[in-house]
Amino acid sequence: MRLGRGGVPGCGWSTAWLRASALVLWLMAGLVGCRRQEASPPPFDPAAAKRGRSLFQRGQSVRGEPLMGFLAPERVELSGEVAACARCHGPAGRGSREGGVEVPDITPGALGHVRARAVGEVEDRARPAYTREMLLRAITEGVSASGRELGVAMPRYALGEAEREELLAYLQQLGEQPDPGVTTTTLTVGAALPLSGRLGPLGREAAAVVRAVFADVNAGGGIFRRKLELVVEDDAALHARQNASNVAPDATARLLDKGVLALVASVRQGALPSDALLVQEGVPLVLPLTLGGGASEEDSPVFFLYPDEPSLARLTVQHLARLNEPELRRKPLVVAHAGGEAGQAWAQAVRQEAERRELAAPVELAPDADGTLANLEATVKRWASAPPHAVLYTGTSSGLGTLLRALEAHAPAVPVFAPASLADAVAVGGSTGRVRFVYPAGLGERAPDLKEFASFMERHDLQPGHTAFQLGAYAAARVLVEALTRTGADVTRASLVQHLEALRDFDTGVSPPVTFGVNRRVGVQGAQLAALDPATGRLVAASEWIPLTP
């Protein structure tokens, strides 16, 4: 056999050259191995992905810290919900057109493949497939897989180590795992309602109304071929348990454990420990049933139909100031209540609204330790010579009656304003002309036409019961169905919240038109003053519609 130079068989190359070539090949193999190792993501961590969902969808970590991003080049700060990835890329990450800018698809199926050329107007041109490290660089530094700087509309996010791992884990399965309660054939919704005990009839009636609305939708083919299902958890013992130690999870928490998409028409008597879970998981609660109305923080997932009583107190002050602000600057209002948290909230709302409008500081008529207005008679006697402009009262119907009788005896010119929940003809007695009730549900020309609702009840063989709650359940189900329909086939909790926020002047059929917004979680923002008709004992309109000023 002929030997080449350097003693290598059949070759004229030197041993030194071969050694160098082997070294190059070894280095190349090592680089390929590193590249393969880099491209292999760590094992999927469902717990981390669940935590990362809050960052992506809501712009807030599960530890309550807002997501922080900066817009280049001026580094304009974005924080919390406005910084959430879903705001631009969409709840499913499939992209959108935001402000005339085409936002790219960031699901694993889109980012995990090489792009040989540009697609449409999407800004990231030909590029390699994104690795985990490249994706993190794009998120934190705004540099694409091709090494090109991303557009100024893409925030550069400031992430701690925990947030990085959680967000990357969520992005690893973005758009591939449906939200809880969503299957190819069903959308499962929950309701926390009393089914037993004193409030059992009320809860069962509300559940029957919601199920009947869902039945109508399902009979028409469902929502994008998915049937609506309602799961109800008994909330009867909640309020007896919630202040005890070692309490079991309330009905809302149990529904979340079962994996519902959203909640609808749950009965509430105030804030609950499980509200933190709704916020943490971004679960919308649509129009809970509550006698006192409601109010939520701007980024809360709880959407109410009517304003709460403190909001109605503010509306009353606003109305009186519009009528005669100069007099209210020198003659104070009186705020009276029966104590407790509700009474204090009512009084505080009156004080804050008066201060904001630079009116005279209200005089508070608070109850004694036994809950009665023992000094009421003596106080009202003093008003005979210097009457206040008006009295704003909340508490009980019997307490309102006591106040009205004292005024009849000593200060008959002083008007009284109270929430419509206290409109009791027996308690008011002969003082129907003195008291005005603040009523947000619409009267006179603004009263809803209930013919469609009556037909619905008859069609489903539902009997009238607790009418206010049946109407509330009907409105809640209608609003939920409308938002789900607008959301489309790719429904998520976050997209449902976004379409609830986009609802404008929606006709529920049983209430004034409902409008929500990014900073608005109460659908009906206003009320009317109402009087009790002494002949029928029913409320009748005593004013035009009064909008509630934020």
Side-chain angles (χ1 to χ4, degrees):
M1 175 169 44
R2 183 174 68 85
L3 297 178
R5 286 177 296 178
V8 179
C11 181
W13 300 323
S14 69
T15 303
W17 189 93
L18 286 174
R19 287 174 178 168
S21 299
L23 178 61
V24 171
L25 289 173
W26 180 81
L27 288 172
M28 290 177 65
L31 288 173
V32 171
C34 289
R35 193 168 294 166
R36 285 175 180 166
Q37 183 178 7
E38 179 185 79
S40 300
F44 176 64
D45 184 350
K50 185 176 181 180
R51 295 191 295 271
R53 182 183 185 280
S54 181
L55 285 167
F56 184 93
Q57 302 287 4
R58 299 180 45 251
Q60 185 172 0
S61 76
V62 295
R63 292 164 289 279
E65 299 167 352
L67 180 64
M68 298 293 295
F70 301 89
L71 295 177
E74 294 85 2
R75 291 188 61 81
V76 176
E77 182 179 307
L78 301 177
S79 176
E81 189 175 6
V82 295
C85 312
R87 278 290 171 187
C88 293
H89 292 282
R94 293 193 172 90
S96 65
R97 179 170 287 275
E98 183 77 11
V101 177
E102 190 172 350
V103 183
D105 185 335
I106 58 171
T107 58
L111 296 184
H113 293 86
V114 174
R115 176 180 290 159
R117 57 189 176 85
V119 179
E121 299 177 16
V122 175
E123 62 177 27
D124 200 6
R125 303 176 181 87
R127 57 157 175 78
Y130 272 88
T131 65
R132 175 184 172 88
E133 287 71 20
M134 289 176 180
L135 184 55
L136 183 59
R137 183 179 67 174
I139 294 169
T140 58
E141 300 176 25
V143 178
S144 77
S146 62
R148 191 175 54 81
E149 187 173 1
L150 296 175
V152 295
M154 170 65 187
R156 280 57 168 164
Y157 289 100
L159 299 173
E161 187 61 33
E163 286 76 17
R164 291 184 179 198
E165 295 303 317
E166 291 164 356
L167 185 55
L168 288 172
Y170 184 71
L171 291 173
Q172 188 178 338
Q173 52 91 64
L174 179 62
E176 297 177 358
Q177 298 292 328
D179 270 13
V182 179
T183 72
T184 56
T185 58
T186 60
L187 297 173
T188 302
V189 178
L193 293 167
L195 301 178
S196 57
R198 181 176 60 86
L199 298 178
L202 181 154
R204 293 192 294 272
E205 290 168 3
V209 168
V210 174
R211 285 199 171 98
V213 173
F214 286 5
D216 284 347
V217 174
N218 293 340
I223 297 178
F224 291 92
R225 299 185 180 180
R226 291 186 176 113
K227 301 292 185 182
L228 286 170
E229 293 184 352
L230 180 68
V231 177
V232 179
E233 279 287 321
D234 189 1
D235 204 19
L238 167 64
H239 302 290
R241 296 193 321 261
Q242 65 181 359
N243 294 321
S245 59
N246 300 319
V247 295
D250 65 36
T252 296
R254 298 197 302 272
L255 286 166
L256 296 184
D257 285 342
K258 288 185 174 182
V260 297
L261 172 64
L263 281 82
V264 64
S266 295
V267 169
R268 290 169 66 91
Q269 296 182 13
L272 300 173
S274 57
D275 287 355
L277 292 176
L278 295 180
V279 173
Q280 179 178 316
E281 299 192 22
V283 182
L285 168 53
V286 182
L287 273 55
L289 308 179
T290 168
L291 286 172
S296 291
E297 298 295 330
E298 292 178 356
D299 60 349
S300 169
V302 183
F303 292 79
F304 290 95
L305 179 58
Y306 295 120
D308 61 3
E309 289 188 356
S311 297
L312 298 181
R314 291 198 304 108
L315 178 144
T316 305
V317 176
Q318 292 171 7
H319 173 68
L320 294 174
R322 280 192 289 266
L323 292 179
N324 200 341
E325 185 170 321
E327 182 175 351
L328 283 175
R329 290 183 183 275
R330 57 183 179 82
K331 183 183 290 189
L333 294 167
V334 171
V335 56
H337 58 87
E341 290 185 8
Q344 291 297 333
W346 174 271
Q348 183 179 12
V350 174
R351 287 195 300 270
Q352 289 178 341
E353 191 64 30
E355 182 179 357
R356 188 172 74 140
R357 295 178 174 274
E358 299 181 345
L359 308 178
V363 175
E364 184 172 352
L365 189 57
D368 295 330
D370 61 359
T372 62
L373 295 171
N375 60 345
L376 175 63
E377 194 77 17
T379 300
V380 174
K381 281 183 179 180
R382 291 196 295 271
W383 292 349
S385 58
H389 187 82
V391 179
L392 279 63
Y393 174 84
T394 192
T396 64
S397 296
S398 60
L400 175 61
T402 301
L403 171 64
L404 291 172
R405 287 190 291 274
L407 289 170
E408 288 286 352
H410 304 291
V414 178
V416 177
F417 297 86
S421 58
L422 304 185
D424 184 318
V426 175
V428 171
S431 300
T432 53
R434 173 182 308 285
V435 61
R436 290 292 178 264
F437 297 99
V438 192
Y439 187 71
L443 292 166
E445 293 182 357
R446 293 192 64 93
D449 184 353
L450 299 180
K451 291 180 181 178
E452 182 180 344
F453 176 74
S455 175
F456 162 85
M457 295 286 285
E458 184 177 354
R459 186 170 68 253
H460 289 280
D461 196 25
L462 298 176
Q463 300 302 314
H466 298 81
T467 305
F469 283 87
Q470 289 175 318
L471 292 172
Y474 183 80
R478 288 281 305 272
V479 166
L480 175 65
V481 168
E482 179 67 16
L484 284 171
T485 302
R486 296 186 185 193
T487 298
D490 294 330
V491 59
T492 65
R493 288 168 171 170
S495 63
L496 180 55
V497 169
Q498 288 181 15
H499 284 278
L500 284 165
E501 291 176 342
L503 215 57
R504 299 289 184 273
D505 293 323
F506 176 69
D507 183 10
T508 67
V510 295
S511 73
V514 171
T515 296
F516 293 116
V518 174
N519 300 320
R520 175 171 168 165
R521 290 298 191 263
V522 179
V524 178
Q525 290 279 9
Q528 286 172 279
L529 299 182
L532 269 174
D533 185 337
T536 64
R538 294 183 177 180
L539 288 173
V540 295
S543 78
E544 299 295 326
W545 184 257
I546 306 169
L548 175 61
T549 303

